[in-house]
Amino acid sequence: MHHPKMRFTYVGIDSHKETHTAVFLDCFFEKLGELSFENLPDKFAGFLQRAQKFQTDGTTFMFGMEDASAYGRTLARFLCAGGESVKHVNGLLVARERKNQNIVQKSDSVDAECAARVLISKFGDLPDVVPQDKYFILRSLVARRSLLVRHRAATKNYLHSVLMQSYPNYRGFFANLDCKTSLAFFMRYPSPGTLKGVTVEELAAFLEIPSNKSLGLPKAKFILESLQETAVPFQEIRDSVAQSAIRQLMFNIEEIEQLEEGIASFLKHFDCTLTTMAGIDIVTAAQMRSCIGDIKRFSTPAKLARYAGIAPVTYASGKKDLQFANQRGNRELNSLFFWLAVQLATPCGSSRKILNSFFHEYFNRKMSEGKTKRQALKCVQRRLVNIIWNMLTHGEEYVNPPTFDLPEAENEAE
């Protein structure tokens, strides 16, 4: 009787934007050959045809791809559509295999061979590649929004430094720098010199339009009375720099709003009930779904907890049995569960409201048992994993307990 691994010819593929490199190994780690081909859909069939000369008798191909979601996604879809077996090989495992083989140089051929070696040695542990366009598109929307949010924060910080030179006391003008009225004002009047000759009535009339008449004479009078002369050489160039940053910030805000509308619309394809839980908005629900993917990948909540890096790691030796926080797993998903636990278990906002009395009581009970705040929040995260797994698996809606204000005695203790 032959070992199951002897039924395959193993193909490690290193994917890149323009070309892919494939290395063929038998089950005894012996190299059978190597092929390079263009990353073009009309070249994939030719690759499979040329690959047959490296296929050992009585075997089928088993492909291992380090990248099956970016440059290698088109190839992965082609192979899966043709009934080929494709496994995802983690890039860290490929790097570790290269180090274990004491290989100094790094090349496409070396990485492809290391991917094939990992494919053989961890044959039963590697996940299957299952291209799912629905989750891929959702992930693309979420990733694009995250990128724009980071750009917005960077542009906003830069605008703070620019405006500080012209308006040292600008923070008192508006509650938020990136609100519609604030951006309109600084776009029109990027420095105090541009306000020369502007009357209170004229400024009030200007502020009423972007603020929907919530700001008027009092705000205009306050701004004009607070002005400080800060004119310096080349002020016009400084003003143009500020206006350029404002235009970029306005563009980012508009793009983020359009993406969030697109996320909300596309999320309807998932039958998602996560938004029924207080603390989970459309964006958070989309981030969770894109990180988790198909919930059928996780047969139990414990497997989802391990994937998110929430389940503890056990270190046992002799009579010692210690547990530590897991620093691995999907860190983005771990962060989502952490901040959700913070919102639900601890007072939030200036009103110090408790969004979820159940999790607040559970958090306090864990604290009374001697756990630290971080450990108690980890327990809340683990309980949230169970609930969200059931919501995604069975399509159940969450019934929120009533919110309540934190008692004064407890508020003082906090």
Side-chain angles (χ1 to χ4, degrees):
M1 182 179 293
H2 295 295
H3 192 278
K5 289 186 178 181
M6 300 177 69
R7 296 187 289 113
F8 301 100
T9 296
Y10 298 89
V11 189
I13 298 179
D14 187 43
S15 305
H16 290 281
K17 180 167 61 175
E18 296 180 354
T19 61
H20 299 323
T21 301
V23 170
F24 301 80
L25 301 182
D26 62 17
C27 63
F28 301 108
F29 297 94
E30 293 185 2
K31 186 173 180 178
L32 303 174
E34 177 181 332
L35 286 175
S36 292
F37 55 100
E38 292 182 83
N39 184 14
L40 297 172
D42 59 353
K43 303 294 183 181
F44 296 159
F47 157 68
L48 282 181
Q49 187 174 2
R50 288 190 295 152
Q52 291 176 3
K53 64 182 179 181
F54 301 120
Q55 188 175 8
T56 55
D57 295 337
T59 66
T60 58
F61 284 127
M62 175 65 71
F63 294 89
M65 299 187 65
E66 181 181 346
D67 170 24
S69 60
Y71 294 138
R73 177 175 172 78
T74 306
L75 176 60
R77 289 186 62 193
F78 172 82
L79 294 173
C80 291
E84 302 288 349
S85 300
V86 187
K87 297 277 188 178
H88 173 66
V89 182
N90 190 291
L92 292 175
L93 296 178
V94 174
R96 187 179 301 167
E97 180 66 22
R98 189 171 61 247
K99 184 178 180 180
N100 291 340
Q101 296 298 317
N102 198 25
I103 300 175
V104 179
Q105 70 273 17
K106 183 183 185 299
S107 66
D108 297 348
S109 176
V110 168
D111 284 348
E113 182 174 349
C114 289
R117 296 180 70 90
V118 173
L119 180 61
I120 299 171
S121 59
K122 296 187 175 296
F123 174 78
D125 299 327
L126 298 178
D128 294 325
V129 172
V130 184
Q132 295 176 310
D133 290 338
K134 189 167 67 170
Y135 291 100
F136 177 76
I137 293 172
L138 182 64
R139 186 64 193 165
S140 299
L141 289 170
V142 169
R144 176 60 181 162
R145 180 191 174 276
S146 298
L147 179 63
L148 286 174
V149 168
R150 290 196 296 271
H151 285 175
R152 180 181 66 181
T155 306
K156 186 176 176 180
N157 289 336
Y158 174 75
L159 186 57
H160 274 298
S161 65
V162 172
L163 291 178
M164 181 64 73
Q165 307 302 318
S166 300
Y167 293 100
N169 56 342
Y170 77 98
R171 293 180 183 273
F173 292 178
F174 305 99
N176 297 307
L177 178 60
D178 54 356
C179 70
K180 189 177 295 186
T181 309
S182 175
L183 293 177
F185 172 80
F186 289 116
M187 187 69 180
R188 180 75 171 272
Y189 306 109
S191 63
T194 58
L195 281 165
K196 284 185 177 180
V198 178
T199 64
V200 175
E201 291 75 15
E202 290 174 342
L203 182 57
F206 172 80
L207 294 175
E208 284 180 354
I209 298 174
S211 67
N212 199 21
K213 297 186 177 181
S214 62
L215 299 178
L217 285 172
K219 177 61 70 174
K221 185 177 180 181
F222 171 78
I223 292 174
L224 292 176
E225 289 178 350
S226 304
L227 292 181
Q228 300 178 23
E229 184 57 44
T230 58
V232 295
F234 309 108
Q235 184 63 52
E236 291 182 359
I237 298 177
R238 293 172 181 264
D239 291 349
S240 66
V241 170
Q243 290 170 331
S244 174
I246 292 170
R247 282 194 296 269
Q248 183 178 356
L249 186 56
M250 294 170 70
F251 173 78
N252 282 355
I253 293 172
E254 183 179 350
E255 285 292 303
I256 290 171
E257 291 175 352
Q258 291 182 3
L259 275 172
E260 289 178 350
E261 291 176 2
I263 289 172
S265 176
F266 192 72
L267 200 59
K268 296 175 183 177
H269 295 281
F270 291 84
D271 244 356
C272 186
T273 59
L274 293 180
T275 52
T276 59
M277 175 181 284
I280 300 182
D281 57 11
I282 291 292
V283 173
T284 304
Q287 289 175 318
M288 281 190 169
R289 295 276 2 212
S290 67
C291 288
I292 295 172
D294 189 353
I295 193 61
K296 293 179 182 177
R297 297 192 301 156
F298 308 100
S299 56
T300 63
K303 291 184 178 180
L304 178 57
R306 286 195 294 272
Y307 175 73
I310 294 172
V313 176
T314 301
Y315 287 85
S317 178
K319 295 182 179 180
K320 293 183 179 180
D321 190 353
L322 303 176
Q323 289 187 331
F324 298 92
N326 190 354
Q327 300 301 321
R328 299 185 181 182
N330 188 312
R331 304 318 298 172
E332 182 180 351
L333 186 58
N334 184 287
S335 178
L336 290 170
F337 275 112
F338 174 77
W339 289 112
L340 181 59
V342 170
Q343 288 185 71
L344 297 182
T346 61
C348 61
S350 56
S351 60
R352 308 291 287 169
K353 277 189 175 297
I354 301 299
L355 285 182
N356 193 303
S357 57
F358 168 77
F359 282 113
H360 182 64
E361 293 171 3
Y362 181 70
F363 172 77
N364 286 338
R365 185 165 73 249
K366 291 299 177 181
M367 290 282 287
S368 65
E369 293 173 0
K371 294 186 181 295
T372 64
K373 193 170 185 178
R374 173 74 69 168
Q375 291 170 337
L377 284 173
K378 185 71 72 174
C379 294
V380 175
Q381 286 179 259
R382 185 62 183 85
R383 184 63 63 89
L384 280 169
V385 169
N386 290 348
I387 294 173
I388 287 177
W389 183 88
N390 278 285
M391 292 173 69
L392 293 176
T393 302
H394 305 293
E396 299 175 350
E397 295 186 358
Y398 186 78
V399 180
N400 294 284
T403 61
F404 66 92
D405 294 325
L406 194 67
E408 291 187 6
E410 192 173 344
N411 203 347
E412 291 176 1
E414 289 280 344

